[in-house]
Amino acid sequence: MLTIGEKQFNSRLFLGTGKYPDFDMQKAAVDTSETDVLTFSVRRMNIFEPSQPNFLEKLDVEKYSLLPNTAGAKTAEEAVRTAKLANASGLCDMIKVEVIGCDKTLLPDPVETLKATEELVKEGYTVLTYTSDDVVLAQRLEEAGAHAVMPGASPIGSGQGIINAFNLSLIIEQLTVPIIVDAGIGSPKDVVTAMELGADGILLNTAVSAAAEPVKMAEAMKLAVESGRLGYEAGRIPKKRYATASSPMEGISV
Amino acid sequence: MQLLINGNMTEIPDSIKTIADVKQHFQISNPVVIVEHNGEILEKDSHAVQEIANGDKIEFVQFVGGG
């Protein structure tokens, strides 16, 4: 069971809802993943085409905890406004703070991210903050009251996997709030690695939605989260330089 | 009457009085539509009573797929 703020989740896999080939495949992938938390974005409606299908129509939103993001925001002020817009839907009080500071890498702006987190915690939201793998910044976010800190494995949508396992492990070790590794995951291997490091959960989108078979990948990611978590809880053996026989050395019949 | 809707200056009939009327005019039926009127985010149940005036700035936003 994963607890974030006052919310509890059975699944440690959070799934994004962007870039699926179609809504039916998205629904199938979401169902297969057995996720409890869906992320999505807030955008202007095209009022001249109001009947265009909306992704929420296919999903039973009552079944999930909705985690809107503030993607598109470049300042704390914009992020806070987006959070308030999402909250006005009456469907959610969680918010993923995402304030981008660089268009090319989509890396977060640390100063604005911290400011937005402080403000939204004060406003009473359950705040999950997307951040880089900077250890001290992660600590500052926790001090600001973030209910979960979500360091990126690598740049958003890059599929590069975990490029700084050392920093991630320090963040996991030094913070007490849940750590959700968010962004850059490419394959189930990356998920298992993050979970074995002790991450409390994984947030991914493109690795599933842009896979050749999204539904199959959703299942693979679900199993990877479970496998990595079990491995972490079971406690891996220490690495040794030389071999240790698994079979008894006594009674060898030669 | 003219309204600045989602950044576009838009002509609407003068018979339109409230935010709910504007939604109806554009046939916005999506159950999850969030409205910001002159910079103020509206409670869902206030759309029917929130009156509009020429030159008002209105934002209609919705949830879309994202990560």
Side-chain angles (χ1 to χ4, degrees), chain A:
Chain A
M1 189 71 84
L2 170 62
T3 304
I4 294 179
E6 294 177 354
K7 299 175 191 305
Q8 291 197 315
F9 307 111
N10 288 317
S11 169
R12 292 175 180 273
L13 175 61
F14 295 7
L15 200 60
T17 54
K19 301 187 288 189
Y20 283 84
D22 59 65
F23 290 140
D24 288 327
M25 188 170 286
Q26 179 185 59
K27 183 184 184 310
V30 168
D31 287 346
T32 302
S33 75
E34 294 182 4
T35 185
D36 292 324
V37 178
L38 294 176
T39 63
F40 52 91
S41 305
V42 179
R43 289 288 180 272
R44 272 178 172 166
M45 174 180 269
N46 181 354
I47 57 160
F48 299 107
E49 241 185 285
S51 61
Q52 58 192 326
N54 188 282
F55 84 107
L56 284 175
E57 288 168 20
K58 288 274 178 192
L59 298 167
D60 177 8
V61 292
E62 301 290 319
K63 234 174 91 177
Y64 302 99
S65 287
L66 302 184
L67 178 60
N69 65 36
T70 64
K74 292 193 168 179
T75 65
E77 193 182 346
E78 288 169 5
V80 169
R81 174 176 173 265
T82 304
K84 289 180 175 175
L85 283 168
N87 181 250
S89 71
L91 293 174
C92 43
D93 61 0
M94 288 203 296
I95 189 73
K96 169 180 165 177
V97 171
E98 178 177 341
V99 187
I100 298 302
C102 170
D103 289 337
K104 194 168 186 178
T105 61
L106 297 182
L107 287 169
D109 182 315
V111 177
E112 296 298 315
T113 296
L114 182 59
K115 274 167 46 182
T117 299
E118 285 169 347
E119 181 67 28
L120 289 166
V121 166
K122 271 187 213 148
E123 297 266 354
Y125 289 79
T126 299
V127 180
L128 295 80
T129 302
Y130 164 66
T131 181
S132 67
D133 56 23
D134 186 285
V135 182
V136 178
L137 178 59
Q139 289 172 322
R140 293 289 300 272
L141 291 167
E142 179 174 84
E143 286 163 18
H147 299 87
V149 172
M150 307 205 292
S154 52
I156 294 171
S158 71
Q160 289 189 48
I162 295 168
I163 54 177
N164 196 340
F166 178 71
N167 271 28
L168 284 184
S169 68
L170 287 177
I171 290 171
I172 290 163
E173 185 185 301
Q174 299 202 16
L175 271 64
T176 54
V177 296
I179 303 300
I180 311 296
V181 173
D182 173 11
I185 296 291
S187 74
K189 178 191 75 174
D190 305 327
V191 170
V192 174
T193 302
M195 294 306 289
E196 281 196 56
L197 287 173
D200 297 280
I202 302 287
L203 196 168
L204 56 83
N205 184 344
T206 310
V208 165
S209 66
E213 293 191 44
V215 181
K216 199 173 267 186
M217 189 59 87
E219 178 158 24
M221 293 304 191
K222 178 190 81 168
L223 295 172
V225 166
E226 290 171 1
S227 174
R229 180 67 189 180
L230 280 174
Y232 169 73
E233 289 174 356
R236 62 151 295 142
I237 58 166
K239 289 182 183 177
K240 293 175 190 157
R241 185 169 176 80
Y242 297 108
T244 313
S246 303
S247 310
M249 297 306 289
E250 298 82 30
I252 296 172
S253 173
V254 285

Side-chain angles (χ1 to χ4, degrees), chain B:
Chain B
M1 168 163 55
Q2 285 199 319
L3 299 173
L4 188 65
I5 302 178
N6 288 1
N8 296 310
M9 196 53 88
T10 310
E11 185 74 36
I12 60 159
D14 287 345
S15 58
I16 289 176
K17 304 289 183 205
T18 66
I19 292 290
D21 294 341
V22 180
K23 280 166 68 179
Q24 197 174 14
H25 177 73
F26 288 103
Q27 297 178 311
I28 296 170
S29 58
N30 182 342
V32 185
V33 54
I34 304 141
V35 186
E36 189 183 59
H37 182 209
N38 292 334
E40 189 184 330
I41 299 167
L42 302 182
E43 296 290 330
K44 212 173 173 184
D45 51 13
S46 69
H47 294 181
V49 292
Q50 187 75 25
E51 293 187 3
I52 54 163
N54 189 43
D56 279 2
K57 187 182 168 202
I58 302 172
E59 291 281 321
F60 289 106
V61 303
Q62 63 179 351
F63 293 147
V64 300

